[in-house]
Amino acid sequence: MNGSVEPLGFIKAFLNKGHSRSINAKKNILASFAIRGCNILVTLMLVPLTIHYIKPTQYGIWLTLSSIIGWFSFFDIGLGNGLRNKFAEAVAKGEHEQARIYVSTTYAILASIISVALLLFFAINPFLNWSKILNTPPEMARELSLLAMIIFVFFSMQFVLQLISTVLQANQQPAKASLFGFFGSLFSLTVIYVLTKTTSGNLLYLGLSLGFTPVLVLTASSLWFYTHQYKRYRPSFKYVNFSYARGLMGLGLKFFILQVGAIAVYETSNLIISQLFGPAQVTPYNIAYKYFGIIAMVFGITMTPFWSAFTEAWVKKDFAWIRNTMRKLNLLWALIVVVTIFMLTFSDFFFRLWVGKEVTVPISISLVLAAYFIINARNMIYMYFLNGIGKIKLQLYFSILGMILNVPLAVYLGKKIGVHGVILSTLILNSISMVWTVIQYNKIINNKATGIWNQ
């Protein structure tokens, strides 16, 4: 009895110890781990179930097409991240009406942008040869065109609805935001399971199912939060003020360029692999990416509360808290390295356990992805700090450089050494980022940053 009470007491004491900002972060991290842990289990079940429903080659097509449509998420021109910083600053200063204006204005701008994008997509989609874009048999062109339209319509709805997640994260409540992904995955798993029992493999049914479920979750969540806890920030036409758009878009435009850079550096791998090696090779890459991506997911859970926490601490000039937090996050990163090495050592075993013998993942892909996620986690620590305080000009320039270099380098290395060469390009660029982000942090926190290091 006492043995069970003491650990609970220790955990409670740990969660309630320290600065209120740290206490909130720890509680959100613990809750997010529980939620994301459940989400990981659901996702792990969803992948083999989906592959079982459609063939591995079709699954590769689905992944590639989804990632291409996902590029349009950057039409928000960085407004989501701009809102995240501006909302956090306004709340930290107690300016709640201003925070509501930022929320309402962002919804209005994004709804306008995506409406135009949707009309343009409807106009050009009939002229796009998706079978050629995805390197598939010509007879699939019509089916893929319809699938692209389905994915884009649901994506457009998510584009605006997902702002509720941004508001929750900006208010340092990422655990609640992570519930949306969990429920979306859970509903998707349920629908795909029903499809396996009632239909034969069909890409259109898959697109409808995986597109509709997150829209349903985000709609219900938005209605709930904006009529309860976040009622004071509820978007309203009355509070739309486009004069605030300049502040949102000034910072947001920088984030937008960073996001476009992320497309070139991170999201083009599926398309490059599909073009160089065929859609079937996208599947083993994505299996390995999802497996080692658990590292990014776990570390992302830890880091998410700190973006807006860094914003608040910076506004309030709490530099001691920032230094202490960065030291602890680096210790956590060292643990992440050990865990990743363990995952790499037993990767073949877990792949066979997860997807069986249908898909074989080469060790070369696993090795490069393990290194990539280790370095990515390290970069995340410093970039979240820089993003939170809005000092992102150097990151902006390096992102542009990454856009220029990544695709040709990925194609070159892919042709020279195979699929893992495509990923190696991203790893090289990330390794360079790991150097300058640490230098910039140290300059800023020690009040020695000048010129571009302080912008």
Side-chain angles (χ1 to χ4, degrees), residues 71 88 114 120 130 137 205 231 235 244 265 317 346 375-376 382 403 428-429 433 455:
W71 297 350
I114 202 58
L120 288 174
W130 285 105
Y205 290 163
K231 189 174 182 178
Y244 279 70
V265 177
K317 302 186 184 302
F346 296 96
I375 293 174
N376 183 61
Y382 294 93
M403 281 191 280
I428 292 170
L429 293 173
S433 294
Q455 296 177 11

Side-chain angles (χ1 to χ4, degrees), residues 281-321:
Q281 291 303 312
V282 176
T283 298
Y285 161 70
N286 269 272
I287 294 295
Y289 193 95
K290 287 180 185 297
Y291 172 69
F292 289 104
I294 293 173
I295 294 298
M297 187 182 297
V298 169
F299 202 66
I301 290 169
T302 303
M303 288 303 305
T304 299
F306 289 104
W307 178 319
S308 296
F310 283 137
T311 303
E312 183 192 4
W314 186 257
V315 169
K316 295 182 177 180
K317 302 186 184 302
D318 193 350
F319 305 123
W321 180 87

Side-chain angles (χ1 to χ4, degrees), residues 20 37 42 49 80 135 145 148 156 208 218 265 285 316 394 433 454:
S20 59
V42 173
L49 187 66
N135 193 19
S145 179
S156 299
L208 286 167
L218 288 171
V265 177
Y285 161 70
K316 295 182 177 180
L394 184 59
S433 294
N454 197 36

Side-chain angles (χ1 to χ4, degrees), residues 74-119:
F74 299 100
F75 270 114
D76 77 342
I77 56 174
L79 281 170
N81 287 325
L83 171 63
R84 186 171 181 174
N85 280 30
K86 292 296 184 181
F87 184 92
E89 289 174 13
V91 172
K93 295 175 182 177
E95 299 170 348
H96 300 291
E97 183 171 326
Q98 188 176 47
R100 188 176 184 184
I101 292 172
Y102 280 127
V103 171
S104 301
T105 304
T106 304
Y107 269 97
I109 295 173
L110 288 189
S112 301
I113 290 172
I114 202 58
S115 296
V116 173
L118 191 59
L119 289 173

